Amino acid sequence: MRLIAITMEHFFDSEADVIDRLFDSGLETLHLRKPASTSEETAELIEKIDPQNYPKIVLHDHYELAGKYGLKGIHLNSRNMRENHRCTASCHTLAEVAAALSYCDYVFLSPIFDSISKAGYKQGFDMETLRKAASENIINERVIALGGIRPDNISLVHSIGFGGVAVIGSLWGDYAQDNDLEKLLERFYKLKKWTDCYS
């Protein structure tokens, strides 16, 4: 089962070092999402990351940087919605999933549970609806669950038929306040342990 990390929206000190540590610890894909950033700010962060990790990074904005740095690809969202090769997409309905899978490598479906990182962003689907979508192959190994993902619900996500999980709140937690890298890595290892169980 895939484990995908999504960055916090804001930049922080030593972010590139933290990202490199996550990759060194076994992270396979990072979505670089800084919706309020400029192209220059995003490029500055990328240039501080170890270039060997560039093929593991997917961009949510400033798509021209993907080719410049040889990144893994781009992610389509409400700010940037156009079909492209080597892309992923955010979906909030099963109809969007079905459409996006025709041109994307994989898609995020959210919110599966109440969001940890976005207050008031509530669960968008009941489990019966998700299981029915899986039986119709709308949810499959190319659909990644996002929203409220924690170690204790990864087994449920797997049982429905998702191909992986994407995390923000359960990974970053209070890192913006405490800057505790060891606690961040501890959260990462716990998430990775559960996703590895279903690989």
Side-chain angles (χ1 to χ4, degrees):
M1 199 173 190
R2 293 185 194 186
L3 172 59
I4 297 171
I6 302 173
T7 62
M8 289 191 284
E9 291 189 8
H10 62 278
F11 295 98
F12 59 87
D13 291 341
S14 303
E15 184 165 10
D17 294 336
V18 172
I19 289 169
D20 283 332
R21 282 292 300 272
L22 287 169
F23 283 131
D24 291 345
S25 300
L27 180 65
E28 294 179 8
T29 303
L30 176 87
H31 277 238
L32 183 49
R33 179 180 181 273
K34 305 287 184 184
S37 71
T38 65
S39 179
E40 292 74 19
E41 289 169 333
T42 302
E44 185 178 339
L45 173 59
I46 293 169
E47 288 175 3
K48 291 177 182 174
I49 296 170
D50 187 332
Q52 74 177 358
N53 293 323
Y54 289 175
K56 303 173 187 175
I57 298 173
V58 175
L59 273 183
H60 281 230
D61 294 283
H62 313 301
Y63 295 156
E64 72 280 1
L65 300 177
K68 179 178 179 180
Y69 293 102
L71 305 183
K72 182 173 186 169
I74 63 171
H75 183 84
L76 305 178
N77 50 53
S78 59
R79 295 185 309 282
N80 303 294
M81 196 48 106
R82 60 187 169 95
E83 295 182 13
N84 202 308
H85 296 292
R86 297 295 301 160
C87 71
T88 66
S90 289
C91 300
H92 303 288
T93 68
L94 294 170
E96 288 176 346
V97 168
L101 284 177
S102 68
Y103 58 87
C104 287
D105 291 344
Y106 59 86
V107 301
F108 293 158
L109 178 62
S110 70
I112 302 305
F113 305 104
D114 292 353
S115 175
I116 298 167
S117 62
K118 295 180 181 178
Y121 197 48
K122 298 294 186 185
Q123 178 175 346
F125 308 90
D126 62 67
M127 295 301 115
E128 183 180 332
T129 299
L130 295 175
R131 287 195 172 93
K132 183 174 186 294
S135 72
E136 296 168 352
N137 201 36
I138 296 169
I139 292 176
N140 57 41
E141 69 282 349
R142 293 170 56 214
V143 182
I144 308 299
L146 172 63
I149 303 298
R150 299 180 309 272
D152 63 0
N153 59 28
I154 289 174
S155 61
L156 174 57
V157 168
H158 175 262
S159 73
I160 290 167
F162 286 94
V165 295
V167 296
I168 304 173
S170 63
L171 172 63
W172 296 103
D174 293 327
Y175 188 80
Q177 288 78 40
D178 64 25
N179 292 311
D180 191 325
L181 180 58
E182 293 313 310
K183 283 185 180 175
L184 172 69
L185 292 174
E186 187 179 309
R187 290 189 294 271
F188 172 74
Y189 289 131
K190 192 175 288 188
L191 288 160
K192 190 171 187 319
K193 174 185 171 188
W194 278 98
T195 54
D196 285 351
C197 284
Y198 303 108
S199 295

